[in-house]
Amino acid sequence: MERMTPPAVDRVAASRAAVAARRARAAVKHAVATRERNAGDVLDAAWADPAARAEASLRVRELLLSVPSLGPTRVAKTMAELRIADSKRVGGLGLRQRHRLREWLAERENQPAATRPSRLVVLAGPTAVGKGTVSTYIRENHPDVHLSVSATTRAPRPGEVHGVNYFFLRDDEFDRLVAEDEMLEWATVHNAFRYGTPRQPVEEALAAGRSVLLEIDLQGARQVRRAMPEAVLVFLLPPTWDELVRRLIGRGTEGPAEQQRRLATARVELAAQDEFDYRVVNGDVSQAASEVVDLMGSRPSDPSPTLG
Ligand code: 5GP
C-alpha cells in the first residue's frame, strides 16, 4: 500500500532540520544588523558557496530589512525598483536580478559615512502612548541607531540602571550641566522632575555618521526644533483616544488623581501634533518602530509615509 505520510522518525528529523535552518538564517540576519557582515558579502556567499545554505534560503526582503537603517517602506520601494518579488529567496534570483541587487547594495555601501544621511530624530507624543516601548524596541533591534540617554533628577525605579535608562543626577549636578550649556534641551516634566538631553554624546554620534533618536517630552521637542532646525520631529499617536486611556490606566503606575491629570495633559499634547514633521500611529510596536527607523534614513524631501 502506498504510504501517505513519512514515518515519524523522518518527520522529526525534517522538523529539526527546519528549526536549524531558521536559526541559521536568523544568525545571518543578526550578523548583518550588527554590521558583523555586510549584505553584499551574504549575497556573494549565497551565490558562490554551495555550503552557504542559510544565505541562499534567506528571503531578499528579510536580508534587506536586517540592513541597518533600512525600514519596511524603503525595502518595499527598493524591491519594486529592482523588480524582485516579495517572496524571492537570495538563491532563487535570476542573473539580472542578482546584478541589480548587487549594484544597488554596492552603491549604498560605498557611500562615505559623511554623505550618508545621519539624522537627529525626536520622538515625542502624549503620555502613555508607548514612546518608551517603541524606543526600547529600536534599541534592541536597530543597534546602528544611537539612542540618547537622558539625565533626570527623579529617582530610579526598580530595575532601572544608571547610564542605561537614565543618568540619575542630584539637583546640583543637573544645575551644573545646565549652567555649562551641556544640555541640548531640558524641561520640568509633569510638574515634578527635570529631564534633559546631554549634548556631547548626541553631537559625537552625529559627527560619526550615526542617526540619533531622542525620546523626550513636547517642551524638549520644541527646544530641539529651535536649536537644530534640521532635526526631524516625529509625533507618536495612539490608535484612538480610548486606547490611550486604556494604556494609561492599564499600566497602573499612577493613582486615579494623577491619571486624570495626565489625561488632561495628553489632550493638550495631542493638540500639538501639527507642529511635527511626521505622525506615526503606535498600534503595533514593531511596525511603529520600523516607521521611525525608516524616517531616520529618508531624505528631508521624502513625503510623510504615515500621516494619520
Ligand atoms: P519617565 O519618568 O516616565 O521615565 O518619563 C517621563 C517623561 O519625561 C516622558 O514623557 C519622557 O518623554 C520625558 N523625558 C525623558 N527624557 C527626557 C529628556 O531628556 N528631555 C525631556 N524634555 N523630556 C524627557
Side-chain angles (χ1 to χ4, degrees):
M1 204 172 79
E2 202 177 326
R3 205 171 55 210
M4 300 302 288
T5 49
V9 277
D10 287 357
R11 288 204 303 275
V12 170
S15 86
R16 264 202 210 122
V19 170
R22 259 201 308 277
R23 285 216 183 106
R25 286 195 292 271
V28 173
K29 287 191 283 182
H30 185 259
V32 173
T34 53
R35 296 188 196 278
E36 226 174 280
R37 295 179 74 176
N38 69 42
D41 297 340
V42 172
L43 294 182
D44 292 341
W47 298 332
D49 180 359
R53 290 209 205 105
E55 286 84 346
S57 63
L58 195 60
R59 288 191 202 281
V60 177
R61 184 174 170 279
E62 289 187 33
L63 173 64
L64 292 182
L65 279 174
S66 60
V67 173
S69 295
L70 276 185
T73 314
R74 292 186 74 210
V75 167
K77 212 166 117 196
T78 303
M79 301 266 299
E81 274 167 20
L82 300 175
R83 282 171 279 141
I84 297 175
D86 233 24
S87 58
K88 270 282 177 201
R89 294 181 191 271
V90 170
L93 291 174
L95 274 183
R96 289 208 189 91
Q97 288 175 319
R98 289 183 184 198
H99 181 70
R100 285 197 294 270
L101 179 58
R102 194 71 193 83
E103 289 276 289
W104 185 83
L105 277 172
E107 212 171 282
R108 213 181 163 273
E109 280 160 6
N110 288 337
Q111 262 183 327
T115 66
R116 255 184 248 145
S118 72
R119 314 187 94 187
L120 179 61
V121 174
V122 174
L123 183 66
T127 183
V129 71
K131 285 171 289 176
T133 322
V134 169
S135 55
T136 302
Y137 187 94
I138 293 175
R139 177 170 53 213
E140 285 168 2
N141 293 280
H142 298 274
D144 55 309
V145 173
H146 175 87
L147 190 62
S148 162
V149 178
S150 297
T152 181
T153 56
R154 83 153 162 77
R157 295 184 187 130
E160 285 185 331
V161 177
H162 182 81
V164 176
N165 305 93
Y166 283 104
F167 294 104
F168 296 99
L169 303 184
R170 291 190 316 263
D171 267 311
D172 61 311
E173 292 171 326
F174 200 99
D175 286 341
R176 192 180 57 75
L177 289 177
V178 172
E180 290 174 0
D181 200 24
E182 291 287 337
M183 291 294 194
L184 183 58
E185 60 75 36
W186 70 272
T188 303
V189 180
H190 297 313
N191 290 326
F193 299 102
R194 287 182 292 170
Y195 295 79
T197 305
R199 181 191 295 282
Q200 199 183 340
V202 171
E203 290 182 346
E204 281 174 2
L206 287 173
R210 296 181 72 189
S211 288
V212 176
L213 182 67
L214 309 185
E215 185 247 299
I216 59 180
D217 87 322
L218 193 58
Q219 312 166 69
R222 288 179 176 140
Q223 291 176 45
V224 173
R225 161 123 297 167
R226 280 195 296 274
M228 295 176 137
E230 70 282 10
V232 175
L233 267 56
V234 181
F235 195 87
L236 200 61
L237 281 166
T240 59
W241 172 257
D242 287 349
E243 176 60 19
L244 186 72
V245 175
R246 206 185 59 74
R247 287 181 192 176
L248 179 65
I249 293 173
R251 72 183 184 184
T253 43
E254 290 84 16
E258 181 63 16
Q259 282 170 359
Q260 287 314 312
R261 217 168 55 76
R262 290 198 178 204
L263 283 175
T265 309
R267 279 201 190 278
V268 176
E269 288 169 335
L270 277 171
Q273 56 182 282
D274 291 343
E275 296 171 32
F276 283 68
D277 301 308
Y278 297 94
R279 282 174 276 179
V280 169
V281 176
N282 184 19
D284 170 75
V285 173
S286 65
Q287 173 67 25
S290 297
E291 287 179 22
V292 173
V293 170
D294 259 336
L295 293 172
M296 306 194 100
S298 60
R299 296 176 304 277
S301 56
D302 279 356
S304 170
T306 47
L307 276 186

